[in-house]
Amino acid sequence: MKAVAFSVKPFEKEYLAKANQKKHDITLISNPLGVDTAVYAEGKNAVIVTEDDDLSAPVAEQLAALGIQFIVTRSAGTGHLDKTALTSHGIKIANIQNYPPGGPLLANEALQEIADQTIKSLDLWSLNKCVGQVCACAKDCNKTTPEKTV
């Protein structure tokens, strides 16, 4: 899968590369996603974002016109996503799950877990499978096990 990751901080690059293991063609850029930078998604299947990125209706429309099919947010929250606009364009959305119980993770472990969950969503989508509990669509999409196809 071809993807572009927006708002990537220098310290995140190592974790995303380790999680990806060269499975997906991911372009890492530091620019935030917005109406002026959505063009960087041209030729990609997926966009990887953070809470700092603009995923409003106008940006959703731009991404859909560029052929984006998937968005993964590197956050547990989804309040920054216009889920209705994104899903109306047929764009599937995933977020990271909350950290497992048992206490807070160390900073490096947390960053690696975020990267791992981000890449796992891309892995499942590239196999035409459901992302399960990390599905974040506006219609409360199918939150079944990841093995179920979409």
Side-chain angles (χ1 to χ4, degrees):
M1 184 170 291
K2 289 185 171 190
V4 58
F6 287 90
S7 300
V8 176
K9 306 291 186 251
F11 60 84
E12 291 180 289
K13 292 178 181 180
E14 173 188 346
Y15 299 102
L16 286 166
K18 183 178 175 183
N20 187 36
Q21 299 177 5
K22 298 183 182 182
K23 294 181 278 186
H24 305 284
D25 178 4
I26 302 176
T27 302
L28 306 175
I29 61 174
S30 60
N31 303 65
L33 174 61
V35 292
D36 296 331
T37 58
V39 68
Y40 296 137
E42 186 172 6
K44 310 295 185 189
N45 311 95
V47 171
I48 302 168
V49 299
T50 70
E51 290 178 332
D52 296 328
D53 294 302
D54 176 3
L55 284 123
S56 61
V59 175
E61 188 171 333
Q62 285 181 286
L63 294 175
L66 292 169
I68 296 301
Q69 301 166 311
F70 310 102
I71 292 181
V72 182
T73 181
R74 300 186 315 272
S75 64
T78 59
H80 60 293
L81 305 169
D82 186 333
K83 294 187 278 188
T84 302
L86 292 166
T87 55
S88 73
H89 289 290
I91 299 174
K92 292 180 172 66
I93 308 164
N95 64 333
I96 62 160
Q97 292 181 339
N98 293 325
Y99 299 119
L105 297 173
L106 298 173
N108 291 345
E109 291 171 335
L111 289 169
Q112 191 61 61
E113 182 65 21
I114 290 166
D116 290 345
Q117 289 184 45
T118 298
I119 299 304
K120 183 177 180 182
S121 290
L122 294 179
D123 291 344
L124 290 168
W125 279 329
S126 69
L127 296 171
N128 198 32
K129 295 190 176 192
C130 176
V131 293
Q133 293 298 317
V134 298
C135 177
C137 78
K139 298 177 183 174
D140 194 28
C141 38
N142 190 6
K143 294 189 177 210
T144 60
T145 60
E147 291 76 34
K148 183 169 180 158
T149 57
V150 284

